[in-house]
């Protein structure tokens, strides 16, 4: 049976390696950077109020990770949990682990608005999200960063 738990210091390198593969996959438009990956994991480990990290385990083996970001949505009038990353090693995909993680988040944050982003080409993930009650929003999101 698969287990989900918070990221621990000893998980740092395993999660970093998965982030590299995830952010360089067709599932995302942006590639990120080593600096961003390391900062994300470090912020999960340091108890940031804005991000939480989880690892997915098969026995003791890390087979994936997930990250959540916290914010407030004036659009929906409440606290918001962004499901930022979900990565599962290819040989473990299709076994319900993504669904288990999303249900875990829904149960842990029952009164929060849950949001996520996905690429239209990621049809398998979209099917899972829609099956769990997520609805597509029909607008474009824009971003400005200091690095641009």
């Amino acid at each position: 049976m698969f287990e989900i738990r918070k990221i621990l210091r000893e998980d740092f390198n395993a999660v970093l390696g998965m982030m590299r593969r995830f952010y360089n996959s067709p599932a995302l438009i942006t590639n990120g950077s080593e600096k961003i990956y390391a900062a994300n994991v470090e912020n999960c480990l340091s108890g940031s109020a804005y991000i939480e990290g989880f690892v997915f385990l098969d026995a003791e083996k890390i087979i994936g990770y997930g990250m959540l970001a916290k914010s407030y949505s004036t659009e929906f009038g409440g606290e918001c949990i962004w499901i930022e990353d979900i990565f599962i090693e290819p040989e473990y995909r299709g076994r319900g682990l993504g669904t288990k993680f999303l249900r875990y988040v829904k149960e842990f944050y029952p009164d929060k608005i849950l949001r996520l982003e996905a690429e239209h080409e990621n049809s398998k993930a979209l099917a899972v999200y829609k099956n769990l009650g997520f609805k597509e929003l029909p607008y474009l999101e824009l971003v400005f960063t200091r690095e641009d």
Side-chain angles (χ1 to χ4, degrees), residues 1-5 55-60 63 97 100:
M1 196 66 182
F2 300 124
E3 180 187 348
I4 298 169
R5 68 159 165 76
V55 290
F56 312 146
L57 301 146
D58 182 14
E60 295 295 314
I63 59 170
L97 187 50
K100 181 176 180 170

Side-chain angles (χ1 to χ4, degrees), residues 90-108:
E91 62 270 26
Y92 288 91
R93 293 178 189 164
R95 297 188 192 181
L97 187 50
T99 298
K100 181 176 180 170
F101 179 61
L102 291 169
R103 286 188 176 138
Y104 173 88
V105 174
K106 287 170 84 173
E107 289 174 20
F108 197 77

Side-chain angles (χ1 to χ4, degrees), residues 106-135:
K106 287 170 84 173
E107 289 174 20
F108 197 77
Y109 293 106
D111 301 327
K112 308 293 187 233
I113 298 150
L114 303 183
R115 296 184 78 165
L116 54 78
E117 296 175 353
E119 297 301 318
H120 289 285
E121 296 79 17
N122 198 349
S123 58
K124 288 182 182 178
L126 286 173
V128 169
Y129 304 149
K130 290 178 180 179
N131 188 45
L132 289 169
F134 287 85
K135 294 176 179 46

Side-chain angles (χ1 to χ4, degrees), residues 54-101:
F54 301 86
V55 290
F56 312 146
L57 301 146
D58 182 14
E60 295 295 314
K61 180 181 178 185
I62 297 173
I63 59 170
Y65 81 95
M67 288 189 181
L68 308 177
K70 300 171 185 178
S71 68
Y72 186 89
S73 173
T74 58
E75 180 181 3
F76 295 102
E79 294 177 13
C80 185
I81 303 296
W82 279 91
I83 300 151
E84 288 287 340
D85 294 9
I86 299 176
F87 176 84
I88 300 166
E89 293 288 2
E91 62 270 26
Y92 288 91
R93 293 178 189 164
R95 297 188 192 181
L97 187 50
T99 298
K100 181 176 180 170
F101 179 61

